[in-house]
Amino acid sequence: MKIILIKEVKELGIKYDIVDVKPGYAKNFLFPKKLAILFTDSLKKKYFNILNKNINNEKQIINKFNKFNKFKNLKTI
């Protein structure tokens, strides 16, 4: 059974990981404690859209950081 972790679960994964688990483990432990949700086809599209947005945001942050570092490393005369 594929699930998305909502919170970090020790020895299983971190938040937003997609993992395969046994159905009993998901139904009896993860779902009742609100640690995970079922990974369905309808969630797949939403999940990857959110993931792509986060990747683009991180790329923008890295570019800004790199520009700042170039500016910071310029020597004044």
Side-chain angles (χ1 to χ4, degrees):
M1 171 182 283
K2 284 195 177 202
I3 60 165
I4 300 175
L5 295 176
I6 298 172
K7 296 179 182 175
E8 182 175 348
V9 179
K10 194 172 185 177
E11 297 181 15
L12 187 60
I14 60 172
K15 188 175 183 178
Y16 302 125
D17 276 354
I18 300 171
V19 293
D20 272 321
V21 295
K22 293 182 180 180
Y25 182 59
K27 292 176 185 174
N28 297 323
F29 181 74
L30 298 172
F31 294 159
K33 293 191 176 206
K34 299 186 189 300
L35 297 173
I37 57 173
L38 185 62
F39 186 65
T40 61
D41 287 336
S42 62
L43 277 178
K44 185 184 283 187
K45 188 173 183 179
K46 291 178 186 177
Y47 175 81
F48 287 111
N49 284 339
I50 291 169
L51 193 61
N52 283 331
K53 286 180 185 177
N54 287 341
I55 289 171
N56 289 334
N57 287 341
E58 287 181 14
K59 285 180 182 177
Q60 290 176 353
I61 291 169
I62 290 169
N63 285 337
K64 287 180 183 179
F65 178 77
N66 288 336
K67 286 179 185 178
F68 176 75
N69 270 349
K70 287 179 184 176
F71 178 74
K72 184 179 172 186
N73 290 335
L74 291 177
K75 295 181 179 178
T76 57
I77 300 177

